[in-house]
Amino acid sequence: MTSERAAIRLQTIRSVPEYNTMNRVGSLDFSTTSSTPPLTEDGKINYEKGEFYTNPPVATCSRKQAVFIIGLILATLLTCSLIIAFVRPSHCGHVEEGLDFHEDVAVTPPPEAIATNGEPFPWNDVRLPDFIVPLRYSVVLHPNLTTLFLRGQMEVVFAVQKETNFIVFHGKDVTLTVVMVKDKNMREIMTTRTLYYPYHQQIYIELKNYLMPGNNYSLALRYEGMVRTDLEGLYISSYKSPGGVKRYLVTTHFQPTSARSAFPCWDEPNYKARFKIGVVRQRNYVALSNMPLDNTEDVSIFWGSGLVQDNFHESVPMSTYLVALVVCDYGRIHEVTKTGVTLSIYAPPHMTSQADFALKAAVKLFDYFQSFFGFSYPLPKLDLISMPDFAAGAMENWGLAVFRESALLMDNNTTSSSAKQRVVLILAHELAHQWYGNLVTMKWWDDLWLSEGFASFAEYIGVHHIFPEWAMMDQFIHSNTMPALRTDALSTSHAVSVTVSDPIEIEAIFDTISYSKGASIFYMLQRVLGEEIMRRGLMLYLERHQFGNANMDDLWQALSLGTLNSSHPVPVKDMMDTWTHQLGYPLVTLRRHGNMIHASQKHFLLVNSSLHGVNSSHKWHVPLSFTTSAAPNIESQIWMRDPLSLRASDINFEIPMNVSWIKANVNASGYYRVNYEPAIWQSLIRVLANQPTTFSPADRAQLIDDAFTLAWAGMLNVTVPLTLSQYLVNETEYLPWSTALYHLRKLDTVLSIRTARRSLHCFVRHLVTPLYSIMGWTTKVPHIQSLLQRELLEAAVYFGLSSAVNEARRLFTQWMSGQVQLPPDIRDIVYSTGIKYGGWTEWDYCWQRYKETNVPDERLNFLRALAASNDPWILQQYLDFAMERNSIRVQDIRKVVESVAQNPVGSLLVWRQLQTRWNMIEVTFGRASFTIGRLILAAVSHFHDPLDLKSVQTFFRNVNVGSGKRSLMQSLELIQANINFLNKNDRQLEQWLNRNSPRC
């Protein structure tokens, strides 16, 4: 891995005409090209295709030569047509059929099991042998912050369950210098050889004598390694003091499989053990670990002058990925919870004041979860620490949770309502893990969703408890259920419980399915069982498996027991197996025949693909909820399963004859989509147009989401969601607006070079104008109103509402001149507008402000806004700054790429950057990193042209993307879905929008 100081610099391949560097920044010189690039309707250069995929003319020919060439081409075409006519298959599927998004993804076969010294590696299994169980670790580490050299010494006490003469454990990029095995009487057992197998990250020690079952032994090691620079394992980070001095620190991120790079260990979650950690440090630093400090001793004689060793108390049994260590010079604030646990937040000394809000919220959440789970927190302290460089948002290490600065710190004068909400949600997620995930841990990573899915659900319960006015459970649908349904509609999705083995496969499932789908099916289950039964089952689960490991069947059993005393016992396992072992989800379709409703289900797919691995006969146990016009405030529920066999099936049920409408999946609490026959759709549209509050905000949002998604999949006429969305002129709630604007922006992206785009902008401006006129730019105090206002203002500016654009530009000018202090909730919109309609002066002013501020949320505001420029030269420089880490941290590269890719001017620049700098990206993030996949999705998943699809397929055909494989396959499928949508709806979209959009 390379450090920031040794970052690879690659020559950027220009994918647009060369720029005249003698001109001012942002101007273009096309004198070297053979033709002027095409312009869009707004007068901007069209960078979508042409110059990216074709070259200018390079040769000329005479008239006779041209006639001959044309004749030859026509003859060739005629011959090919005859051949195709006689050899084509007898059956021709639809254009979408038979697509296989797996075939264009490079697969690298595993190498032969050969150790680094050339000998065969005797243990050829990615999983460790199960007959040696670690019981207790004693580890001392000395990370040198100057040389980045790591030295360690450790002893592991382990139990043997089967006679063996070898030991296998994990080690990555470590070299053993001393190896000693002893029995319980401290007699040494000689070792005969030590082998390393980097592909499985395993170390094999062969012994002269056999270890006997039923006995405990100890393994003592001394080893050497390096402090890493890639945000994994034990790695170095830094921050700048107010005086500009760069201060270094060391931290850890071990989930899922990086503890092995800090110390040799049994790095699988089922091998829980006790840990006694020691760290050697300089005297002017402090060290933190999972447990409180026991003692500090002078070790200058052993480790070097001026060094001390901090020794921490022994931990409770826990998995290796939860071990944590930090060496820093931070400040601290703290409070004590109701049960006497010391809860502290650590941050750079000049930033501790930004932790006040998080500390107060964390204490409230801690007390709530302790009561909710009914189990006392088993450690004496809980530290929360902000980290300048951190790949994930946060990590739940037991007793020492680590956060990105933007996920923990905030300034009341500059932090927006949405950023404040994000801080509290992340806090709640990591605090829920202290019980669910840490106290009881999944046995293996195939049940990662069990931990992350529940925490993603519990975070909303926790925040709803301390901020009930934030309407968190409605927001849960928008932030979890809807994103999960989008990803899970792909044939390249995966079941929440999925078989994984090696680190690359494990890293790849830290995704929307494990987190958001997992959370969504927990939410659905709670709605079925009831909150109190769900809570009792969780308490029983924790009590039974405390300090141990469990799988999802253990949870289903505990929850089922919780229903035994209820009037309606639920076979939880039978129900949930259909949601956890199958990829995807059902599309429930309702058809009416008089007073009978027929409800059918089938696997919903965005692209109608006949792929191996996709079973179209899947059925789910669907808790179908519905309301009708006869009783709009009463929710009914019926199971979609056969009453005798209890197998999932289609059903029929009766409704009163006078019912004028029926709406299924009440409050979007079920993890499924609903389609209706045309007459029912029309009845729902009429209700929305005349009495929208008949449905809850969640129901209105769900109708919007289902209608647009079904149209995208070709299952619903595209005019249905557009007609439905006309009611938005009367909408005043956050959730429906946020949902609708997501789909309208997506529609805008695929229409980027279509004539219908202008009409779409007029249509959206018409929708937002009434509420914009009411809300304006005066910031709102109620939290949910602030979120709504931000969505509305952003859309008004994005779709070109002149009054909004002019006001944002005016505010930006006043802000640049120091006349106004922008309110937190609108400042990023003002920044983006000023940069979009400005030039280099405005861009550079914000760039300098980004480099100066020490407020994490403000830095994110600038990172997003800097990507809004309409000048491709500026965007190219911005991408270069990110890739070359010029004042932009590694953790923020993805944010820059995502933001520039969302800008129509920058979309293909990002794709070229990704191709040009792929080697650097691999070196920076590694193949076993979730970031690789997210970069691919950000760069290409919005493409909508066959040329784009071909370009992506061609580039990645021979590239091993590691843990990004599934993201690549999903990107290809999303591109195909966009192409299909335009092929089917382009003309109809244009006609409808021209008829229904006011002139503007």
Side-chain angles (χ1 to χ4, degrees), residues 424-450:
V424 183
L425 280 170
I426 294 174
L427 276 170
H429 185 102
E430 307 311 328
L431 288 173
H433 269 312
Q434 301 300 311
W435 287 266
Y436 198 102
N438 295 5
L439 180 64
V440 180
T441 310
M442 69 268 165
K443 289 182 178 178
W444 181 242
W445 295 106
D446 51 9
D447 276 333
L448 170 69
W449 79 275
L450 203 60

Side-chain angles (χ1 to χ4, degrees), residues 57 60 86 101 211 310 344 392 467 471 483 505 526 553 579 598 650 741 744 798 806 851 866 908:
T60 59
F86 286 102
F101 304 103
L211 308 180
D310 287 333
S344 306
F467 293 114
E505 292 177 348
Q526 178 182 272
D553 284 346
W579 297 97
H598 176 68
D650 299 346
L741 289 172
L744 292 168
Y798 179 88
N806 292 338
K851 292 194 292 185
L866 290 164
L908 287 171

Side-chain angles (χ1 to χ4, degrees), residues 353-396:
S353 61
Q354 297 182 38
D356 291 336
F357 174 80
L359 180 61
K360 289 180 173 58
V363 171
K364 292 178 182 178
L365 288 165
F366 183 96
D367 289 335
Y368 170 73
F369 282 129
Q370 178 131 297
S371 172
F372 178 84
F373 289 118
F375 196 98
S376 297
Y377 178 73
L379 306 185
K381 60 95 175 177
L382 174 57
D383 298 332
L384 314 177
I385 186 166
S386 71
M387 203 52 55
D389 300 287
F390 199 68
M395 177 59 206
E396 68 268 18

Side-chain angles (χ1 to χ4, degrees), residues 333-335 343 345 351-366 384 405-413 415-428 431 463 466-467 469-470 472 783:
I333 62 173
H334 68 282
E335 285 190 14
L343 201 156
I345 293 184
M351 298 175 74
T352 53
S353 61
Q354 297 182 38
D356 291 336
F357 174 80
L359 180 61
K360 289 180 173 58
V363 171
K364 292 178 182 178
L365 288 165
F366 183 96
L384 314 177
E405 288 180 343
S406 61
L408 189 64
L409 307 179
M410 52 166 283
D411 185 318
N412 286 325
N413 296 320
T415 300
S416 65
S417 299
S418 58
K420 182 183 296 186
Q421 178 176 295
R422 184 179 69 246
V423 166
V424 183
L425 280 170
I426 294 174
L427 276 170
L431 288 173
V463 177
I466 66 172
F467 293 114
E469 70 278 11
W470 286 9
M472 292 310 300
H783 178 81

